[in-house]
Amino acid sequence: MPRFIKCLKRGSDYMILSDSIHGRLTAVVFFSVVSILFACERPSSPSFETEQRYTIPLINNTEYRLLGGSGSIIDTTRTSFRDRFDTNNETGIVFLGFEADMPFGSFNDVLSDFQLEPSGGSFTPEDMAQTTSEGIVIYGSFSSRINRQNFEYSSPEDFVEVEKATLVFDNITNETGISIDRLQLSFPTIFGLDAAGNLVPSDTLVIERSGADLAAGTFTESFANVRILAENNEIPVNVLVELSEGSSPPTGGAFSLMMTSEAFKPVAARGIIKPTIRALSNDGSSSEDEPLDVTDPKRHFESLFSDLDLLSVRFRGITFTDASLELEYTTSLGIGTMVYSLVMGRNDDGEEFFLSGIPGSPYYVSPQDTVDGFLYNGTQVPQETLLRFPTEPDDGTDIKQDIHRFTGDNSNVNEFLSKYPTEVFVVSKVVSNPLEEPGFVELPVDFDVLWRVNIPFSMVTEDQPATFDDLIEISLSQLPDRRDDAYISEAVFTLVYQNRLPLDVDVRLTFLDAIEDSITILPFEPSERIRMLSAPVGPAGFSSEVRTETVQFTLNEQQLEELNRSEFIALDGELITTDFRPVNLRGSDFLNIDLRSNFTIRLKVD
């Protein structure tokens, strides 16, 4: 390794001046120094000591820029950080932004299966029998009501579209004394749909059975892909009973039947969907309201915030003051909902914590809210731990997209993100159409959620300082120790720093051997640190200029004896906001450190 060395004689003192390589100590070979000493001057006395002074750069003008390439506090050239950081063009403040998908479960069960209430009637020939060209016909009608627990028609245009349905007719009796040739049941408000799902006005549901089919007193009829209109929740049914040809008009008795249904499978509806509470599950289904444990992997949804893990490697102890977490959702649901969620973050230290609304905000869940049953490790959490947000209905013209922005004004998001959650777990319950307003639903329901994290570097260190660290390679292995004739009699370290960060920086320098075991620490007392003062801070919280200062300290005898084993310097830094006031960081803010050691070496010559 090339080195330029020369002797300067000053009485009995010698100084060696040398160049260096940036970021790494260029070792001075002690035995070469001895040779130069003898080449420069040979003392005549048989026993004496010579003294030599020289300077070694340990940390050579190393700049820790907030954002930048290798060596920056945050290396934005790393693939994991690329395109994650940006700068506000107006203020210059740096912010971290990224997105994370959030599975949320299915809303398809918002349309529950429904049934018809039992209906039917008895039709007497005295009132309804007529003689026609086909013979004697009995006419009648009745209406069937839709179960109001699930759905209610609010106008004549409201409807339910059914993928599959089955009507059950039983208790069929004929007491007229005349056999029946044909039974016809027509439903003027149940329309067929074409292949494209459009209503066909001329195609209404008609069911026919022969007299022989009625002998058992019961039958069923299944159909699919129909639209049911039911003003006032009633479905009219027209009955036609055709008696055997040539029969005389009946003089008594009646024809009777009852109609019920198996479960109708709705695929679309317009009207008032009755409020229900559904617990969402990560298998894509939902179920009736039931307890949900956020720690149960069979029930919770998981989202990864891995970018925060990378940031936490450089910073710890920071409390962000202007962070936000956006929940962007898209939905095709034509009714409003209220979503109640237990949102738990977990960081790499295993700490678990919750995102909650604050009192007075629309995201706050009060003890008076009726939705409960959210658990953490089997124990129900207080309502105030939850988070809620509404979803607005799609207006039918396009997929509805909206954003809920959780900030420090409406939630504890600053505290939540300041703990660097790398995993986020969510369990949710959905109250569908809580205001019982008319709307529409068409299955399958599209409902997608995206988390968008935005963290401006506006921060304060409240309870503890933020931390960062670095490992710098050096080599002091060729310095003498007490076993040599030469020894270090004094070592003065000079630290010159330039600080553009709006933060005090307290550092500890640990000298490490080849296997990175500690040799000595500067300052010598483990509880102490070297304070590098903050740059001056303006009213807006940004640094206004660079602060340049010099700090010197001297090693004690014990430290000097072990110094030659040093191969690395571990820099352990703490970032502190002055007077714990919030500050803002620019991408161009930096800390520059230059550390040099001035050694005095004495040589015994016998």
Side-chain angles (χ1 to χ4, degrees):
M1 185 175 296
R3 173 168 292 279
F4 174 73
I5 307 176
K6 66 179 181 179
C7 292
L8 297 177
K9 181 177 180 182
R10 295 182 182 173
S12 62
D13 296 339
Y14 289 81
M15 177 178 290
I16 294 181
L17 305 178
S18 61
D19 62 347
S20 62
I21 295 177
H22 175 70
R24 178 182 174 91
L25 169 67
T26 304
V28 177
V29 181
F30 176 68
F31 294 106
S32 297
V33 173
V34 173
S35 300
I36 292 171
L37 285 171
F38 280 98
C40 296
E41 179 178 341
R42 286 182 177 273
S44 57
S45 173
S47 179
F48 60 92
E49 286 190 355
T50 63
E51 187 176 86
Q52 172 201 358
R53 298 185 182 92
Y54 60 92
T55 300
I56 297 177
L58 299 177
I59 303 176
N60 193 14
N61 280 320
T62 299
E63 182 176 271
Y64 296 94
R65 190 171 289 270
L66 179 63
L67 298 181
S70 177
S72 300
I73 296 176
I74 300 174
D75 183 359
T76 55
T77 63
R78 293 174 56 184
T79 301
S80 52
F81 272 161
R82 196 171 298 154
D83 301 325
R84 296 294 194 270
F85 290 87
D86 206 343
T87 302
N88 185 297
N89 292 330
E90 295 181 2
T91 65
I93 191 171
V94 172
F95 62 88
L96 167 67
F98 63 89
E99 296 177 348
D101 291 327
M102 181 71 243
F104 217 81
S106 172
F107 280 55
N108 289 337
D109 287 346
V110 71
L111 282 184
S112 303
D113 294 351
F114 66 93
Q115 291 179 299
L116 302 181
E117 296 178 359
S119 58
S122 296
F123 312 103
T124 58
E126 288 88 348
D127 298 326
M128 291 171 263
Q130 298 182 23
T131 301
T132 68
S133 58
E134 289 86 15
I136 299 174
V137 177
I138 298 176
Y139 294 98
S141 65
F142 64 93
S143 63
S144 181
R145 296 184 63 81
I146 292 178
N147 189 328
R148 286 177 176 266
Q149 293 180 353
N150 302 304
F151 180 82
E152 182 175 339
Y153 288 80
S154 59
S155 73
E157 292 76 28
D158 289 346
F159 62 84
V160 174
E161 291 183 0
V162 175
E163 181 181 49
K164 181 181 178 181
T166 298
L167 295 176
V168 178
F169 300 91
D170 56 12
N171 294 326
I172 301 174
T173 59
N174 177 17
E175 298 175 349
T176 63
I178 303 173
S179 60
I180 296 175
D181 278 350
R182 181 171 66 96
L183 170 65
Q184 176 181 288
L185 301 168
S186 59
F187 300 78
T189 61
I190 300 181
F191 297 88
L193 302 175
D194 61 20
N198 299 315
L199 182 144
V200 182
S202 60
D203 183 15
T204 57
L205 177 65
V206 176
I207 299 172
E208 290 192 355
R209 288 291 188 274
S210 66
D213 295 334
L214 306 178
T218 183
F219 69 91
T220 61
E221 180 74 15
S222 296
F223 50 92
N225 301 321
V226 297
R227 178 178 291 181
I228 302 173
L229 277 65
E231 187 173 1
N232 297 321
N233 268 46
E234 294 185 349
I235 299 175
V237 183
N238 295 324
V239 180
L240 182 152
V241 181
E242 184 178 313
L243 302 180
S244 297
E245 187 175 354
S247 302
S248 299
T251 58
F255 174 78
S256 303
L257 86 165
M258 292 294 295
M259 182 180 76
T260 58
S261 74
E262 295 180 1
F264 283 26
K265 299 289 185 183
V267 293
R270 173 175 290 156
I272 298 177
I273 313 296
K274 291 293 186 177
T276 57
I277 301 176
R278 311 292 293 185
L280 302 182
S281 177
N282 64 8
D283 62 3
S285 65
S286 65
S287 57
E288 297 291 342
D289 186 18
E290 61 182 1
L292 292 175
D293 195 321
V294 73
T295 61
D296 183 357
K298 296 180 180 179
R299 302 309 303 268
H300 68 214
F301 298 95
E302 180 178 1
S303 187
L304 298 179
F305 284 16
S306 54
D307 289 29
L308 289 181
D309 177 36
L310 299 170
L311 186 61
S312 70
V313 172
R314 280 304 203 184
F315 289 106
R316 289 283 187 177
I318 283 176
T319 298
F320 299 113
T321 59
D322 195 26
S324 66
L325 180 59
E326 293 181 351
L327 187 150
E328 178 182 289
Y329 70 88
T330 56
T331 181
S332 62
L333 197 61
I335 58 173
T337 71
M338 182 63 75
V339 180
Y340 291 82
S341 298
L342 180 58
V343 181
M344 182 185 78
R346 178 189 295 156
N347 60 25
D348 283 347
D349 295 330
E351 183 182 8
E352 295 175 338
F353 39 89
F354 302 98
L355 176 67
S356 309
I358 61 176
S361 80
Y363 307 119
Y364 176 67
V365 181
S366 73
Q368 286 70 44
D369 278 274
T370 57
V371 177
D372 56 11
F374 288 92
L375 311 179
Y376 171 68
N377 282 331
T379 301
Q380 181 158 314
V381 300
Q383 297 288 83
E384 300 93 320
T385 310
L386 305 178
L387 184 78
R388 74 174 189 177
F389 62 91
T391 68
E392 298 298 324
D394 174 17
D395 60 8
T397 60
D398 199 0
I399 295 292
K400 176 70 175 180
Q401 185 177 50
D402 207 350
I403 293 175
H404 290 288
R405 189 167 185 266
F406 305 115
T407 68
D409 294 330
N410 55 40
S411 71
N412 66 338
V413 68
N414 284 318
E415 293 81 359
F416 183 80
L417 293 177
S418 295
K419 293 181 179 180
Y420 299 108
T422 56
E423 299 174 285
V424 176
F425 304 95
V426 180
V427 289
S428 299
K429 297 183 180 184
V430 177
V431 181
S432 59
N433 203 21
L435 301 180
E436 295 194 45
E437 296 176 330
F440 74 94
V441 177
E442 183 176 0
L443 304 184
V445 174
D446 292 322
F447 193 87
D448 298 309
V449 174
L450 179 73
W451 290 115
R452 185 175 292 114
V453 179
N454 183 40
I455 304 178
F457 275 41
S458 296
M459 59 188 66
V460 64
T461 55
E462 293 180 340
D463 300 327
Q464 57 181 344
T467 63
F468 78 98
D469 55 66
D470 197 10
L471 186 66
I472 302 165
E473 186 177 357
I474 64 170
S475 179
L476 297 178
S477 60
Q478 297 186 43
L479 288 176
D481 59 26
R482 287 294 186 184
R483 293 170 297 181
D484 299 325
D485 289 336
Y487 63 93
I488 304 172
S489 63
E490 184 182 50
V492 178
F493 284 74
T494 302
L495 174 67
V496 179
Y497 69 86
Q498 295 177 304
N499 192 4
R500 184 61 193 262
L501 298 170
L503 302 162
D504 290 339
V505 182
D506 290 353
V507 296
R508 179 188 295 121
L509 303 175
T510 304
F511 289 78
L512 307 174
D513 62 17
I515 61 173
E516 299 185 17
D517 284 340
S518 175
I519 297 172
T520 190
I521 299 174
L522 293 179
F524 187 64
E525 293 296 330
S527 61
E528 296 180 355
R529 287 180 178 267
I530 304 166
R531 169 63 59 92
M532 292 185 282
L533 297 175
S534 162
V537 179
F542 293 97
S543 62
S544 57
E545 59 182 276
V546 177
R547 182 189 294 275
T548 302
E549 301 282 354
T550 300
V551 180
Q552 284 191 332
F553 39 89
T554 302
L555 270 64
N556 60 35
E557 183 176 352
Q558 179 183 346
Q559 290 174 307
L560 293 177
E561 290 180 355
E562 302 291 331
L563 200 60
N564 68 324
R565 297 194 295 116
S566 302
E567 297 287 342
F568 302 96
I569 294 178
L571 186 151
D572 173 19
E574 294 184 345
L575 306 176
I576 304 170
T577 51
T578 305
D579 299 327
F580 304 109
R581 292 178 299 161
V583 296
N584 299 316
L585 295 180
R586 300 184 183 94
S588 58
D589 288 344
F590 67 90
L591 172 68
N592 185 284
I593 298 176
D594 186 83
L595 177 65
R596 297 176 181 271
S597 56
N598 299 300
F599 291 100
T600 301
I601 293 181
R602 301 186 67 83
L603 175 64
K604 298 177 183 178
V605 179
D606 294 326

